[in-house]
Amino acid sequence: MDNLLQWLYDLSVSETVRESLWVFPTLEVIHIYSMIILIMVIAAFDLRLMGIGIGRQPLSQLSRPVLRWMWVCFGVNALSGSLLFASNALEYYINSAFQIKMLLIFLGVTYHSVTLRRAGRWDNRLALPSGIKLSGGLSLLLWIGVIAASRWIAFVL
């Protein structure tokens, strides 16, 4: 693994990100704002699962644009995050906050990939089951954890 991490670190693009006065901050801004949009879109869906906000729009109608925006933002985050990671791969790899962030993102994206595709099952219900409402709340907590771990990375390096 160390060889792969060193190879990433030694790439010319990684050096550019590391050495440039503007590339790292620009990538970081893109990464942060796409994460904000991702979490806002997901939070809107989770709040709807909990019965809060966005009126009574059927979940199937809400899930389509949420799924689309989730993948767009996730793609932007994956690309910008990969470039940021490669600029200091050896340090990020062993960073506990980074590891927690990656685990939480994996859990969140997996959960929403499944939930958003199944959302149409709950369209005709007068009230959503308690378990669905609870999962929306737990998802919000999970994404708050992503934000916290993201901020924590800089303080652990």
Side-chain angles (χ1 to χ4, degrees), residues 71-83:
W71 285 116
V72 167
C73 292
F74 182 73
V76 171
N77 266 292
L79 180 59
S80 59
S82 295
L83 291 169

Side-chain angles (χ1 to χ4, degrees), residues 1-2 32 34 42-43 46 59 61 67 72 76 98-99 102 109 119 122 125-126 131 133 135 138 140 142 150:
M1 182 56 88
D2 285 346
I32 289 169
S34 64
I42 286 173
D46 287 341
L59 285 170
Q61 285 182 344
L67 190 60
V72 167
V76 171
F98 177 79
Q99 294 168 356
M102 292 299 103
V109 168
W122 306 306
R125 294 202 174 216
L126 295 176
K133 290 181 179 184
S135 72
L138 292 174
L140 285 175
L142 184 142
S150 297

Side-chain angles (χ1 to χ4, degrees), residues 11-24 87:
L11 289 172
S12 62
V13 68
S14 301
E15 183 179 356
T16 300
V17 171
R18 214 176 21 258
E19 302 296 328
S20 172
L21 291 175
W22 61 271
V23 174
F24 189 95
S87 73

Side-chain angles (χ1 to χ4, degrees), residues 106-134:
F106 173 78
L107 294 172
V109 168
T110 302
Y111 165 78
H112 280 92
S113 295
V114 172
T115 304
L116 288 164
R117 285 187 172 82
R118 293 182 177 173
R121 295 179 183 180
W122 306 306
D123 275 352
N124 297 324
R125 294 202 174 216
L126 295 176
L128 291 174
S130 299
I132 299 299
K133 290 181 179 184
L134 178 63

Side-chain angles (χ1 to χ4, degrees), residues 53-109:
I54 310 184
R56 300 296 318 118
Q57 181 180 20
L59 285 170
S60 60
Q61 285 182 344
L62 180 60
S63 68
R64 280 183 233 113
V66 168
L67 190 60
R68 188 176 322 114
W69 278 103
M70 181 186 87
W71 285 116
V72 167
C73 292
F74 182 73
V76 171
N77 266 292
L79 180 59
S80 59
S82 295
L83 291 169
L84 293 168
F85 176 83
S87 73
N88 201 1
L90 294 161
E91 293 296 322
Y92 285 123
Y93 182 75
I94 61 171
N95 184 306
S96 58
F98 177 79
Q99 294 168 356
I100 291 168
K101 177 184 176 180
M102 292 299 103
L103 174 64
L104 293 176
I105 288 172
F106 173 78
L107 294 172
V109 168

